[in-house]
Amino acid sequence: MNKSRKTDTAAENGRFAYNGLERVIHERARLSIMTSLIAHPEGLLFGDLKDLCALTDGNLSRHIDVLKEAGLIEVWKGLKNNRPQTLCRLSDDGRRRFTEYINVLESVVNDAVSAEAAERAADKKITEGWSPV
């Protein structure tokens, strides 16, 4: 194998690994929470976040705990109209990591679209001159 072939193979190794897709964010409910919070930089009250993500109280609480432990969100407690309230918002690190995650997710979509277009073009060449029976 010549040297340029080795370099090409090395560049392709792990090409589709998408290491930036953090597992803690990638879960559907947590992705919903993170997306809701990035769209509301001032944060969201627990009830509003629950409605936006269509989660139960217990389910949302558990996912908030996971995101908080990972350092992705901050949780604030306070009173509003003499009622206890919980405010959630992205941490600075959470905003940075979520943005990186979205960039990697964008490359997943771009790679899939490119692969689909290439497959269609190849399929067209293969079936050129043929007709279905």
Side-chain angles (χ1 to χ4, degrees):
M1 183 186 307
N2 69 31
K3 190 173 182 173
S4 68
R5 178 95 169 132
K6 273 186 181 179
T7 305
D8 290 346
T9 303
E12 282 297 308
N13 287 344
R15 166 67 183 88
F16 298 108
Y18 305 115
N19 293 324
L21 291 179
E22 289 193 51
R23 293 180 69 89
V24 72
I25 298 173
H26 201 64
E27 195 281 329
R28 185 195 65 80
R30 291 192 289 268
L31 181 58
S32 297
I33 294 166
M34 295 293 289
T35 303
S36 298
L37 293 176
I38 204 152
H40 297 87
E42 71 285 356
L44 286 167
L45 293 175
F46 185 92
D48 297 331
L49 190 54
K50 182 179 92 166
D51 292 342
L52 285 170
C53 299
L55 296 170
T56 64
D57 287 355
N59 205 347
L60 178 58
S61 288
R62 178 64 188 124
H63 289 297
I64 285 173
D65 289 344
V66 170
L67 293 169
K68 184 179 173 198
E69 285 175 24
L72 296 168
I73 67 170
E74 302 170 341
V75 178
W76 300 73
K77 301 282 185 175
L79 290 174
K80 186 174 182 181
N81 299 330
N82 284 336
R83 296 188 60 192
Q85 297 287 320
T86 301
L87 177 76
C88 301
R89 70 178 188 191
L90 288 179
S91 65
D92 291 339
D93 190 44
R95 183 171 304 284
R96 179 189 57 76
R97 287 167 56 192
F98 188 65
T99 301
E100 289 171 0
Y101 171 87
I102 293 300
N103 290 334
V104 174
L105 199 54
E106 238 175 17
S107 42
V108 170
V109 171
N110 290 336
D111 288 343
V113 168
S114 295
E116 176 64 21
E119 187 176 324
R120 277 197 206 131
D123 190 41
K124 189 174 184 178
K125 286 180 184 177
I126 291 170
T127 58
E128 205 168 89
W130 295 81
S131 60
V133 187

